[in-house]
Structure formats: C-alpha cells, structure tokens
Amino acid sequence: MSASSAPAGPPGPSRPARARGTQATTGPEVVLEAAGLRRAFGDLTAVDGVDVRIAPGEAYGLLGPNGAGKTTTISMLCGLLEPDDGAVRVAGHDLAREPAAAKSAIGYVPQEIALYPDLTARENLAFFGRLYGLRGRALAGRIDAVLDIIGLAPRADDRVGTYSGGMKRRVNIGAGLLHEPRLVVLDEPTVGVDPQSRHAILESVAALSAEGTAILYTSHYMEEVERLCDRVGIIDHGRMIAEGTRRELLAELGEADRLDLVVDGDAGDVAEACRGIAGVVDAAAADREVTLLVRHGRARLAEVVATVASAGATLTSVELVEPDLEAVFLALTGRALRDDG
Amino acid sequence: MTSPTPAASALRTVPAIVLTALRLVVRDRLGLFFIVVLPFIIILLFGVGGAGIATAAIGLAVDDGPEASALAEALEADAALSVERYAEASALRRAVRRGDLVGGLVVDDLEADLAAGRTAEVRWLADPASTRAVATEVAVRAVLGELDARLTAVAVAVDDLGVPRADAVAAAAETPEGRLLGVEEEALGDARFAWGVDEVAQQNAVLFIFITGLTGGVALIESRRRGTARRMLASPSSATTILLGEGTARFALCALQAALIVGGAALLFGVAWGTPTVVVAIVGLFCLVATGASMLFGASLSNPEQAWAIAPPAGIALGMLGGALWPLEIVGPTMQAIGRLTPHAWAIDGLRAARAGEGLGDVTSALAVLAAWAGALLVVATWRLRRSLTA
C-alpha cells in the first residue's frame, strides 16, 4: 500500500479545499456530529448518551473492550442501526431525515472482510462503487486510483478468495474509499493481518487524514490508536467515560506508571493482593498477565514482587511501562483493553 | 456527491445486485452443474428413457381372441412399450423377476368377461422398487384407459343405442386414435395424462426452479455472514432497495433456471409446452414462489453449511409431495390431498393444462393458489430479512 499516493479525483484544487457535493451544506469545522446517542436491546442499554464530533482531517480513535458499545455506536453513526434517542449529522446532513445524503459522505470499512471471494478485486470495487452512484469512466477511474492506493493494481483481476489476509483487508478498506467520502469509519481494520500489511494500512489511513478526510478508527491495538489518532474517546458499558487528546488523557493519570507482570499462578489472586499496596491505583488480570497502575512504580517494584510471592504465585517477568493510553484505559475502566470480560 | 432520489437509487442498485448474483452463479461450477446440466440429465434418464427413445419391454399373458389381439396391438402401438406375448402367467412372472422385463400384464378370461359384460381383471406385475416400472405402469395405464374408453363406447352403442356389435366395433376402430369422441372423455377423466418426456420436463421445471430458489438463499446467508449485506446497507441505497435487489436477483436465477429447462427441453427433446401465455404465467408465478422461499430460507438460517444440508432434501421432499418426481395420480387419496397443499402440485396442474391447449381462463385456480403462495412467502421473507439485516 502506498502511503503517499493520494486518491485520484476530478481535476481541481487538492483536498480539503476541493469542492465536494456535500460541502456546501456543512460547516468547515465538523464532518461528524453525534449527540446523545442511545440504544437499548431489551433490558440491556448498549449505548447510553454518547456524543462524538470529528473535524475534517481529524483522526478520532474509539477505544473500548468487547461489549463496551463500540460496534453499536458505529452502526448508529453509519445508519445501520436506528438510535432510540439522539441525532447524527454527517457533512451537515441529518442521518435520520436525509439518510442518502449523509451516507454518501461516509466510507464504511467493517471489521469483517465484507467482499465477494469469487469476484476479483476490481469486480468487488465496481460493485460497491455502483452502490454509491459511480458508473462508467468515473467508476473505472476511481477503481484504478483506489487499487493504486491499496497497492493491489497488479493483482486487481485475481479473485479475492486467492488473496492473503492482509491483501483482503486492503481491498476491504479500498471499497470504503471509492466514492471519496468525507468521513471514513474503520472498524478494527487490522485484525489478523501481518505486520507489513498493518504498517501499510496505518500509513494509508494517516495519508487520508492528512489529505483532509475525517477518520473514525476503532481498534484493540492501543499503539495503533496512539500512532494515528488526534483525539481518543474511551467507551465502556455504553458510556463515553473519557475523551481528549493523548496528552489530555495521560494528564488524568497523574504520576502513575504501568507495571506489566507475567505470573505462574492465579493472576486474579495476584491482582487482588496488589490492590492493597500503597500507590496502586488499579489492577487487572487476564490469563497469566497482571497489569498494575502504580504511582511512582519504580519505587514500589520490590513490594510488588514480594506481594506476588505472598499470593502464592511466581513472577515470570515484570516490565515498567511509561504512561500510555493502555494505562489510562485501565485507570478508567479497571480492565485491560483486550480483556474480554 | 449528490444524493440520489429513491427511484434513481433503485435503478442503479437493483441491476448491480442482480448482475453480481448472476456473476457469482456463473463462477460456481457446482452450482452451474445443478442449474444447467442436472435437469437435462434427469429429463433424459427418466423422460426419454421412460417413454421415448428406449422403450420398456413388457410381457402380456392373455388367452387368444379378438379382444386380446386388440389389447396387444394397442400396447404395441405405444412408442414407449415393446410387448412380448406369453402363453403362461408363470413364465411371465419369472421373466419379470429375472429383470428381463420391466413389467408384465396378466389378464384371465378376457374374452369371456367382455362378452358377458363383466369387468375384466388386469394384473400388473412389476418390481415396486423400480422407478422405471412406475413410469412404465403409467404408460400401460394410459393405453388401457384408451382401450377401455373404446370398449365402453362399443358397449354404449350396443346396449343403449341398439347398434349391432360388429358395426359398433368397426366404427370405434375407424375413429381417429381408436376413440369415440364424447364417450372417451367421460369414461377416462384424465385422458390427457400420459407419462413421457413432456411430463418429466414439466415436473423437472417445477422441481428445479424450487431447488434453485432454495439454494439461491445460501447466497443471502453468506452475504449476511460476510458482512456484504451490512456494507450495502451503509451505502445511500435504502433497505427497501437492497431487499428489492436481492429479491430480483433470486427471481432472476429462478427465471434463468426455468428458461433453461423450458427452452432446452423444447430444443433438445421436442417437448411441447402448450399455450405460451399459460406457461409464462404459471412458471412466472412459481418463480415468485421460489423467490419467496429463497429469501425466507436466507433470512432464517444462520450458516451456509446448514443451508446446503437442508435445501436440496427439502426441495426434493416438497417435489415428491407435490408430484414433481412422480405423478400424484399414482399415490393414494391422502397423499394426493397432502400434495395439494404444496405449490408444486398447482404449478404442475397449470403446466398440464397448458400442454392440453387450455387458456388462462382455465387455470385460474392454479394461478390464484400460486399467487397466494408467492404473496405470503414474499411478505414473510421480506419482513424477516429486513429484521435480520437491521436489528
């Protein structure tokens, strides 16, 4: 995938200044504006009062563990699910009242490889392009441009079923870029891909953002969000519990460090025991791993090691990590990001 | 990008979905075999094999006499049958058991019974497990029916009108196809019924249109599971437009299957389908029935493996019940009544009527039942599919 290649489009000034069909009705400062989104499934409230605003060229990361409400939120933002309450405006169009206009401004890249494996990449792109009103030479031109962006022009006429996982992911993203959307929504776009493809995907998303496209990005991989996103929203139990730039979110931690432990023994018991150590802000366990949020972590290291032993476990490894979004997430939710519970 | 009107959106989305569905079918070699090749193999095996090119050898054990000769001649006149006379019923029975013959007819006291005005008993000997024997029995029954009609006509002429027997027999023999018009229709009831390539082609059209519909539902399940359906819903096209596209795609597949069987059977085997308007109306409505079943199937099941395990057996089972594998006339009254609950039976009725030269006005019952089936299935399927995509 070529990170530096810009999507080809009609002649004119480069983005974001380029005139677009939806731009006339939208303010320059916001592409996506969602307010008070709420959705319940029976007795379960999956999303409860979520607000999101994304400006042109801004990359917004939506973080949350499984079941936190990310997919439900994205489904409502993309018009796939009707909210019980709240409103969504995309490029100035109300999603409920002008769904076609609003959806035309969104490029949705689902978590699944939502492609036809028996069709070639070019045929897949042509199909999804037609759904957005592209046809004839304009469609062919956009397909060629997108194939260049995702770096698959040489294999464009091979069936997608013959591609590697990373290549399929790239076509999956390409199908969301055909109509030059003002907002690209990427739901876990790097799941199951090799490091090289992941790097290429991230470069490509960064390039889109640099060209003025608003990005909504969800991932389990904290480092991807830290690398790509200008602002991050943390969602848990259907509520947006924190939002801001990386710097703003890290400031909430104060002086806390993160300690990653690997133990032989019951990780849950170890986490529970460590909560009693002075300065431990939070502790979470998953499999054999224990993540601690500790004020002045280096100074508490000896006490942590002793506590692990007293909990009947053996410490296999310990790592002191500089404050990052993972630590913020742990402090806010009491859970590690990839903890399924 | 400007937002399109709903009509413009439908005009670009529906053909795109239909073309993609057809392209996917063409890419699927196994699917192509089921749609293009298998129906003709079955028509060839059961239709032509049962009635046309390869005749079925049967035996006839009956005492000599003019009526026995007439019976033998009538059977030999049927292109589907070759007849071998046996002096002893036991010898005929052995030949059938050995498989030398598809079946055999034993008639005791034919001449005496007919002369006395009694019903002559005809026994059909055959292996009940042989589908060829079942097909042959139908052909034999058709011949016997013709003969019975002639005999009935002679009896009416002699007994009720006082015509000398010899004159009545001669007149019946000279009547085209050996039948006395007016008397034959009343006596036979289902005189137009005959087993052969035409019948098998009709049954196969109904059977395979429905199976193609059900297996077409697998694509819907895959679309839901892969996420392509959600991706389509994220486009400016409305859910209604996408459902219309998916429905049209399934209908196009069923119509393609129907066109292949109707056209192919006419060209390859000379099948006469009959009144074109009736054929188009019946086949079109049955394609809608299969489309509704396809969408309901696609909306209800959760994975393609489950669907592949269920679709062909379900299609064949309904075909059996509805007379698409063998004529409903050869099953008992209870099974016939059950068969009438399936749309298959009504579609076959309509196609038979078309072949008999009847017009649209003669098949209103079949059209109404098929329309009701199609409407009910499409309404339920659309509701379920919309719910499965947007809930």
Side-chain angles (χ1 to χ4, degrees):
Chain A
M1 189 179 296
S2 164
S4 58
S5 8
S14 62
R15 296 166 67 193
R18 181 172 54 201
R20 308 179 73 134
T22 52
Q23 213 159 21
T25 55
T26 185
E29 75 285 354
V30 63
V31 175
L32 172 69
E33 186 173 19
L37 286 184
R38 186 180 173 282
R39 173 75 193 209
F41 299 99
D43 293 336
L44 174 72
T45 302
V47 173
D48 191 5
V50 166
D51 302 333
V52 182
R53 284 171 64 92
I54 307 178
E58 184 180 30
Y60 185 97
L62 189 61
L63 286 177
N66 288 341
K70 295 194 303 288
T71 299
T72 304
T73 301
I74 283 182
S75 295
M76 288 190 284
L77 295 177
C78 293
L80 295 167
L81 194 62
E82 221 170 281
D84 295 333
D85 202 4
V88 178
R89 292 182 73 80
V90 185
H93 300 285
D94 187 300
L95 189 56
R97 286 186 296 164
E98 307 167 85
K103 286 177 171 181
S104 292
I106 303 173
Y108 172 57
V109 180
Q111 185 174 344
E112 316 87 49
I113 306 289
L115 302 167
Y116 295 102
D118 289 332
L119 298 186
T120 67
R122 191 184 298 280
E123 288 166 343
N124 268 289
L125 294 175
F127 172 67
F128 289 110
R130 285 191 189 101
L131 297 188
Y132 284 87
L134 295 169
R135 57 182 64 211
R137 292 173 70 178
L139 175 61
R142 282 301 301 155
I143 291 171
D144 287 340
V146 166
L147 285 168
D148 282 341
I149 292 169
I150 61 177
L152 284 173
R155 299 222 24 208
D157 297 314
D158 292 347
R159 292 189 190 187
V160 166
T162 66
Y163 286 5
S164 68
M167 291 163 75
K168 287 176 188 170
R169 283 270 164 212
R170 286 192 260 165
V171 182
N172 203 36
I173 292 173
L177 307 179
L178 279 162
H179 58 294
E180 297 183 273
R182 298 199 59 200
L183 168 69
V184 176
V185 178
L186 299 117
D187 191 3
E188 307 265 4
T190 58
V191 168
V193 304
D194 59 276
Q196 192 180 355
S197 290
R198 171 175 295 160
H199 176 75
I201 289 169
L202 296 179
E203 289 289 304
S204 170
V205 174
L208 280 172
S209 175
E211 289 158 11
T213 305
I215 306 286
L216 175 58
Y217 193 96
T218 79
S219 177
H220 271 98
Y221 300 109
M222 194 70 74
E223 62 276 14
E224 290 181 4
V225 175
E226 291 206 88
R227 174 176 160 186
L228 273 180
C229 298
D230 305 303
R231 281 194 307 132
V232 176
I234 297 179
I235 191 168
D236 194 30
H237 298 302
R239 289 176 173 275
M240 193 73 84
I241 55 174
E243 191 183 48
T245 62
R246 180 177 185 275
R247 184 185 296 273
E248 288 165 347
L249 291 172
L250 290 178
E252 294 194 12
L253 284 177
E255 297 297 318
D257 296 316
R258 201 180 93 202
L259 278 177
D260 289 343
L261 316 179
V262 179
V263 298
D264 273 343
D266 190 322
D269 287 348
V270 172
E272 191 57 41
C274 288
R275 283 199 183 97
I277 300 173
V280 170
V281 176
D282 218 325
D287 297 328
R288 294 174 54 225
E289 295 176 11
V290 179
T291 305
L292 303 178
L293 206 56
V294 192
R295 294 191 199 288
H296 309 292
R298 193 175 300 276
R300 306 285 182 197
L301 208 48
E303 195 176 351
V304 167
V305 172
T307 305
V308 170
S310 68
T314 307
L315 191 61
T316 306
S317 76
V318 59
E319 187 179 4
L320 181 70
V321 183
E322 291 296 313
D324 59 7
L325 288 180
E326 183 83 46
V328 174
F329 190 85
L330 177 63
L332 290 170
T333 68
R335 285 187 282 170
L337 185 60
R338 268 165 272 188
D339 177 5
D340 288 342
Chain B
M1 193 161 291
T2 55
S3 61
T5 63
S9 170
L11 280 176
R12 75 179 183 222
T13 301
V14 171
I17 294 173
V18 172
L19 285 174
T20 298
L22 293 177
R23 183 173 273 163
L24 289 169
V25 167
V26 170
R27 298 274 163 88
D28 178 6
R29 288 181 185 175
L30 185 63
L32 270 186
F33 173 80
F34 277 105
I35 290 174
V36 178
V37 181
L38 190 60
F40 294 105
I41 290 177
I42 291 179
I43 292 172
L44 192 68
L45 288 178
F46 288 86
V48 178
I53 293 168
T55 55
I58 64 167
L60 175 63
V62 60
D63 292 338
D64 286 339
E67 297 300 345
S69 299
L71 172 60
E73 283 172 17
L75 291 167
E76 282 164 357
D78 191 308
L81 305 170
S82 71
V83 183
E84 194 175 333
R85 294 286 293 267
Y86 281 75
E88 298 292 333
S90 56
L92 171 57
R93 195 169 274 111
R94 280 197 298 276
V96 173
R97 282 200 178 122
R98 280 198 305 267
D100 297 341
L101 301 170
V102 176
L105 282 174
V106 177
V107 193
D108 297 326
D109 305 323
L110 176 65
E111 304 295 334
D113 284 342
L114 291 180
R118 293 191 299 267
T119 300
E121 294 295 330
V122 180
R123 274 175 292 152
W124 169 248
L125 311 176
D127 176 0
S130 164
T131 51
R132 186 98 193 275
V134 172
T136 305
E137 182 185 354
V138 176
V140 168
R141 281 179 181 274
V143 172
L144 291 175
E146 297 274 350
L147 194 60
D148 188 42
R150 189 171 64 77
L151 292 169
T152 304
V154 170
V156 168
V158 172
D159 298 341
D160 297 347
L161 303 177
V163 177
R165 183 173 181 80
D167 292 349
V169 170
E174 287 169 7
T175 304
E177 298 179 17
R179 285 184 288 173
L180 282 177
L181 293 176
V183 179
E184 178 268 340
E185 186 69 23
E186 195 176 332
L188 283 176
D190 58 349
R192 66 169 180 264
F193 178 79
W195 180 275
V197 70
D198 290 2
E199 181 75 12
V200 174
Q202 288 176 346
Q203 292 172 324
N204 266 265
V206 170
L207 180 71
F208 277 93
I209 288 169
F210 199 79
I211 290 178
T212 297
L214 287 188
T215 53
V218 177
L220 279 178
I221 298 168
E222 284 177 340
S223 181
R224 280 169 45 220
R225 195 171 70 158
R226 268 200 302 263
T228 45
R230 270 173 68 83
R231 186 163 220 158
M232 283 190 249
L233 283 170
S235 78
S237 306
S238 67
T240 303
T241 300
I242 288 162
L243 289 171
L244 180 65
E246 292 289 6
T248 308
R250 308 280 88 77
F251 179 80
L253 282 177
C254 294
L256 178 68
Q257 174 73 93
L260 275 170
I261 294 179
V262 172
L267 287 173
L268 295 175
F269 308 122
V271 169
W273 290 88
T275 317
T277 50
V278 175
V279 173
V280 169
I282 293 287
V283 169
L285 276 175
F286 194 71
C287 285
L288 280 176
V289 171
T291 300
S294 173
M295 293 178 71
L296 186 59
F297 202 64
S300 305
L301 297 181
S302 55
N303 65 70
E305 294 77 18
Q306 193 182 20
W308 276 116
I310 293 173
I316 291 169
L318 282 169
M320 285 176 176
L321 285 174
L325 266 79
W326 46 71
L328 275 184
E329 286 77 358
I330 69 169
V331 300
T334 307
M335 291 308 292
Q336 285 194 28
I338 293 171
R340 290 271 151 223
L341 297 176
T342 68
H344 299 59
W346 296 92
I348 289 170
D349 273 1
L351 290 177
R352 279 185 185 173
R355 197 152 59 85
E358 293 177 5
L360 283 173
D362 302 310
V363 292
T364 48
S365 297
L367 293 173
V369 171
L370 290 175
W373 263 106
L377 282 171
L378 286 169
V379 166
V380 175
T382 304
W383 170 73
R384 283 214 59 153
L385 194 56
R386 180 188 285 270
R387 203 160 159 263
S388 71
L389 292 176
T390 58

